[in-house]
Amino acid sequence: IQIYRGDVTLHPGPRTDWTHALQGRYPKWHCGNIQLEFGSCTGITGGGRWLQLGDWRIAGVDNAHFSISHRGGQTAQIYRSDGTVHPGPRTDYNVWGWQGEYHDTQVKFGDHFLQLGEFRLGQVDETHFSISHSGGQTIMIFRSDGTLHGGPRTDYNLWWKPLGEPIGVTFGDRFVQIEKFRLGDVDSTHFSVSHVGGQTIQIYRNDGTIHSGPRTDYTTFGRPLEECFVVAP
């Protein structure tokens, strides 16, 4: 619409150049507080039902479906409230069309978990990480030995814990760490769930395919933690 130059001249639109300089940057939502903005996390933003890690979004799409989807349009995995999983490649339940939706609330946290809508992701103990639903079903368990244990099942559920301070939940460059486990964008093409012990438990690819462990590649461990905030606009 308008370009402002350092020589104090104006260059009006319509035009499409010079937008790449802004669109190529990672978004950083803020709430008008400059201290919070300086502390925002690299490549991470979110709302009440979704969290963006680099080129990937994890989201409680609705009360019954949780998805892991890529900016390119593919949904690699859907976790349902009935305890079942539905892998890609597929293009439904992808939340990259969301713009202003669900920015009205912040991502919710508690003791070793984060909550996105009706779904919780978190460390149950040092060996087990799970995705569970408020209705009581545990949809997937990720183990520190690199193995997956799917539902439907009701053990290793995180919904008995109250909301509160994000105990054991930290962030870094395009990843979230919940005590001993990390979820994050490895290289834009790959998103993974990995354990500090060295095992990568699950890899999600931008072509919509999933690749299970045990394996030791495509981990986000090795990147430093950051003192930062995930805040709604």
Side-chain angles (χ1 to χ4, degrees):
I1 306 165
Q2 184 81 278
I3 296 173
Y4 304 84
R5 278 211 347 199
D7 60 2
V8 201
T9 59
L10 298 175
H11 303 268
R15 57 195 298 167
T16 57
D17 53 340
W18 293 105
T19 60
H20 66 279
L22 293 175
Q23 291 174 342
R25 301 178 189 173
Y26 285 116
K28 294 183 178 181
W29 301 114
H30 64 89
C31 57
N33 184 315
I34 193 65
Q35 285 76 24
L36 284 179
E37 174 57 12
F38 280 143
S40 60
C41 309
T42 305
I44 303 178
T45 187
R49 281 171 46 180
W50 60 277
L51 183 68
Q52 180 175 328
L53 301 167
D55 287 326
W56 294 83
R57 285 186 179 181
I58 59 176
V61 183
D62 53 36
N63 291 343
H65 300 86
F66 179 90
S67 76
I68 298 180
S69 60
H70 187 263
R71 181 191 296 273
Q74 287 292 332
T75 300
Q77 185 79 284
I78 296 169
Y79 300 90
R80 276 201 357 193
S81 60
D82 62 1
T84 60
V85 294
H86 304 267
R90 59 195 300 162
T91 56
D92 54 346
Y93 296 100
N94 187 301
V95 298
W96 281 87
W98 288 2
Q99 296 297 326
E101 296 94 330
Y102 312 114
H103 289 161
D104 55 329
T105 58
Q106 295 185 6
V107 176
K108 297 176 181 178
F109 299 97
D111 183 0
H112 293 86
F113 73 85
L114 62 87
Q115 179 176 325
L116 300 170
E118 297 300 315
F119 294 84
R120 286 185 178 180
L121 299 83
Q123 177 177 293
V124 182
D125 54 41
E126 292 188 358
T127 304
H128 301 88
F129 182 94
S130 76
I131 299 175
S132 58
H133 186 262
S134 61
Q137 288 292 332
T138 299
I139 310 147
M140 185 60 70
I141 297 169
F142 304 78
R143 278 214 341 203
S144 60
D145 61 0
T147 60
L148 293 164
H149 303 268
R153 58 195 297 164
T154 55
D155 53 347
Y156 296 99
N157 192 293
L158 296 160
W159 282 86
W160 60 274
K161 297 183 178 184
L163 291 170
E165 293 298 315
I167 299 171
V169 182
T170 49
F171 295 88
D173 178 10
R174 295 163 291 152
F175 71 82
V176 56
Q177 180 169 336
I178 304 179
E179 195 62 29
K180 303 292 184 181
F181 294 83
R182 279 190 185 183
L183 297 83
D185 181 340
V186 180
D187 57 10
S188 179
T189 301
H190 302 86
F191 182 93
S192 73
V193 180
S194 54
H195 186 262
V196 68
Q199 288 293 332
T200 299
I201 310 155
Q202 182 85 76
I203 296 169
Y204 309 83
R205 275 202 3 188
N206 67 346
D207 61 0
T209 60
I210 54 176
H211 305 269
S212 302
R215 57 195 298 165
T216 57
D217 52 350
Y218 295 103
T219 180
T220 54
F221 279 100
R223 299 179 192 171
L225 295 169
E226 297 178 4
E227 290 290 336
C228 61
F229 303 88
V230 177
V231 293

